[in-house]
Amino acid sequence: MNILRKYIALSLLFTGAALTLGSCSQDEPADSPFVDSSPVEIYDSEDYDGEYESTILVYAIASNNLFGNLAGRGGDKEEMVKAAQQMDLKKNNILVLQAAYELDPTDGKYDTQIPSVTLQKLVKKGEEYRWKEENYYPADIAPLDPSRIREVIDYVFSSYPADTQGMIFWSHSSGSEPYLTGRSAEVDNVPMQYSFGWDDFHKNEKYYKLNIDELSAAMPDHLLDFIWFDSCYMGNIESMYELRNKCDYYVGYATEVWSPGMPYHYVIPLIARSNPDLVGGAKEFFRYYNEEYNLRNATVAVVDMNRIESLADFCKEMYSGVETRPSTSGFILYTRNGDSLYDLGDYTKAMAAQKGYTLTREEWEDALSTCVLYKASTENDFNNRPINPENFSGISTHVYTPSDTSDREMYYKSYNWYQRVF
């Protein structure tokens, strides 16, 4: 851990929080009980006062149709247990903020959903693994409220400062465009997609979903080694750039991801270590979907956030002076609903063409390689549309239209990416 991050961790510990965030699915939720998270005795893995190698916080918003994929039989928490069997839990911490449904058994039918927001830590005694409840959070503050996000982050990384500190955001999501209801004046006919999280228990409240700029504001700068969005559409340049000061590396998917999400048992042992192998983890994610999972549709990219400005410089050069937006016909398309996200490379080449410049594939790949460490796509996307690997950038973008004066488009102009390149 560098000196700056040590200072941040100590500041969080002594000053407290400054303020008092899965995968998309077309499947039905699993019908299975939650893994037991009742309080347990101190486990062997907690009898340790040395330096931690890694602390991984999975921020899971699962109070939606994905809840069984998190904690049901065969779900992601069971995969994390499998991962832990390859790790030393004394030195490597796995914590899950579980904002999910529980099934109320009072009528004997388990058919009533009640909210459960707990912070759980994977611990070990002998050969037994259990989820130990560290904190319980009342449901009066939504888990997507920026104050709650900051509170959880402050607690975890001040309690378990480590050489590698990473967060995995687990839920539904749909990119960078805003969820406007509650964020500004009520706006009719604005699609309520393009935001992180989906909290059905707070569905009539402001933080049912969360805008990416608000997520960024809730997070300390330079605290994390990586952020991995295990959710749909978060491999977009706008979200990456908004979070560029929050982590060293960013992993996201340009398209949807099937409900199993990340194969945690393969990925976690590679990224929960003193020197995390994010590229290796992304390769395992891709291998799982391309070879092992029966629905072979997936995309993934690993981005070096310390070098993302070089890509921004290149895009700004290609976009400057272009007043008329190009047709998106033939672009790689990344969304199945209404509005569209497009491949950043396709868009940048078309913008350059508007200036009369032919941007070659080699030039674009050279510009992209400055910060994209790894990218991969299957032959088809979530809806079996073909993805040409020759054109695939690993990153998506929104196509900004200057003539569109809608509230949503005006909001897009507030993003750092727009301010930087247009």
Side-chain angles (χ1 to χ4, degrees):
M1 175 190 281
N2 62 39
I3 295 175
L4 176 60
R5 290 204 6 250
K6 283 186 177 179
Y7 173 80
I8 292 171
L10 290 172
S11 297
L12 297 179
L13 179 62
F14 291 111
T15 64
L19 300 169
T20 299
L21 131 158
S23 51
C24 296
S25 172
Q26 292 180 339
D27 303 335
E28 292 298 316
D31 182 16
S32 55
F34 273 22
V35 174
D36 179 21
S37 61
S38 57
V40 296
E41 62 184 296
I42 297 297
Y43 269 35
D44 294 344
S45 60
E46 296 201 313
D47 299 332
Y48 178 73
D49 57 4
E51 295 283 332
Y52 294 118
E53 294 178 352
S54 68
T55 296
I56 308 299
L57 169 60
V58 182
Y59 206 93
I61 308 299
S63 51
N64 52 51
N65 65 339
L66 295 175
F67 75 94
N69 297 110
L70 176 66
R73 292 193 182 94
D76 289 341
K77 289 177 70 179
E78 287 193 3
E79 291 182 349
M80 294 176 207
V81 171
K82 292 179 181 178
Q85 294 168 2
Q86 307 171 55
M87 300 161 51
D88 182 354
L89 281 189
K90 288 186 177 181
K91 299 180 180 180
N92 299 280
N93 306 294
I94 302 174
L95 296 101
V96 175
L97 187 284
Q98 179 172 295
Y101 290 139
E102 287 188 273
L103 304 180
D104 187 353
T106 55
D107 61 0
K109 297 181 180 179
Y110 287 91
D111 60 357
T112 303
Q113 294 175 331
I114 59 176
S116 173
V117 185
T118 57
L119 179 66
Q120 301 171 15
K121 183 175 185 287
L122 186 57
V123 293
K124 180 184 180 185
K125 182 177 182 179
E127 297 303 312
E128 181 185 6
Y129 294 84
R130 288 281 295 277
W131 289 98
K132 175 179 177 289
E133 184 176 307
E134 289 248 335
N135 278 328
Y136 169 79
Y137 299 97
D140 58 336
I141 298 178
L144 285 170
D145 187 309
S147 67
R148 181 68 83 206
I149 294 172
R150 184 60 180 265
E151 179 184 6
V152 175
I153 290 175
D154 286 359
Y155 173 81
V156 168
F157 294 107
S158 61
S159 300
Y160 303 102
D163 293 335
T164 293
Q165 300 184 158
M167 284 190 71
I168 298 170
F169 286 99
W170 188 113
S171 192
H172 287 292
S173 58
S174 46
S176 62
E177 295 184 44
Y179 168 68
L180 287 169
T181 302
R183 179 63 175 81
S184 60
E186 293 289 332
V187 179
D188 294 331
N189 301 317
V190 175
M192 291 187 296
Q193 50 191 22
Y194 303 132
S195 52
F196 172 75
W198 181 333
D199 180 7
D200 276 346
F201 186 77
H202 294 88
K203 67 190 308 179
N204 297 318
E205 301 176 22
K206 179 175 181 178
Y207 292 114
Y208 158 56
K209 298 183 179 181
L210 185 66
N211 294 328
I212 201 68
D213 56 339
E214 293 181 291
L215 172 60
S216 178
M219 301 178 68
D221 287 349
H222 310 299
L223 178 69
L224 301 174
D225 289 277
F226 68 85
I227 294 173
W228 187 311
F229 276 97
D230 192 22
S231 57
C232 298
Y233 300 121
M234 294 308 292
N236 65 85
I237 191 63
E238 293 86 358
S239 293
M240 292 176 185
Y241 199 75
E242 204 73 22
L243 294 165
R244 68 196 182 282
N245 295 320
K246 309 303 174 181
C247 60
D248 293 327
Y249 301 96
Y250 182 110
V251 184
Y253 320 138
T255 56
E256 302 92 335
V257 60
W258 288 102
S259 55
M262 178 198 297
Y264 286 82
H265 50 311
Y266 296 140
V267 175
I268 289 290
L270 293 171
I271 65 176
R273 52 173 66 170
S274 292
N275 297 301
D277 184 0
L278 275 299
V279 170
K283 287 181 177 179
E284 279 300 299
F285 169 88
F286 183 70
R287 183 198 62 78
Y288 173 74
Y289 281 98
N290 194 45
E291 299 178 8
E292 189 169 327
Y293 191 58
N294 60 350
L295 295 168
R296 296 177 179 177
N297 313 105
T299 58
V300 64
V302 181
V303 177
D304 184 342
M305 302 292 262
N306 297 303
R307 296 157 64 188
I308 199 170
E309 295 295 353
S310 61
L311 181 61
D313 287 336
F314 186 86
C315 290
K316 182 176 182 178
E317 180 183 355
M318 294 298 105
Y319 301 169
S320 65
V322 178
E323 298 296 332
T324 304
R325 292 297 176 261
S327 167
T328 56
S329 176
F331 282 18
I332 295 178
L333 183 69
Y334 287 144
T335 184
R336 66 186 186 275
N337 295 323
D339 298 282
S340 301
L341 298 170
Y342 297 96
D343 185 84
L344 182 63
D346 277 351
Y347 180 61
T348 303
K349 292 170 190 175
M351 287 287 281
Q354 296 289 91
K355 301 170 62 171
Y357 180 74
T358 300
L359 177 60
T360 67
R361 175 174 173 268
E362 288 74 19
E363 288 176 305
W364 171 247
E365 287 292 334
D366 284 346
L368 197 66
S369 66
T370 59
C371 67
V372 177
L373 305 181
Y374 173 77
K375 57 185 175 76
S377 72
T378 50
E379 294 181 355
N380 298 294
D381 71 4
F382 197 82
N383 294 289
N384 287 317
R385 290 183 298 245
I387 297 176
N388 183 349
E390 292 294 306
N391 295 334
F392 176 69
S393 297
I395 303 175
S396 70
T397 189
H398 166 75
V399 173
Y400 165 68
T401 305
S403 60
D404 185 349
T405 59
S406 67
D407 290 84
R408 188 186 62 195
E409 201 73 345
M410 292 301 100
Y411 192 94
Y412 182 81
K413 293 175 70 174
S414 72
Y415 279 118
N416 286 323
W417 179 252
Y418 173 87
Q419 300 290 333
R420 178 71 166 79
V421 303
F422 285 104

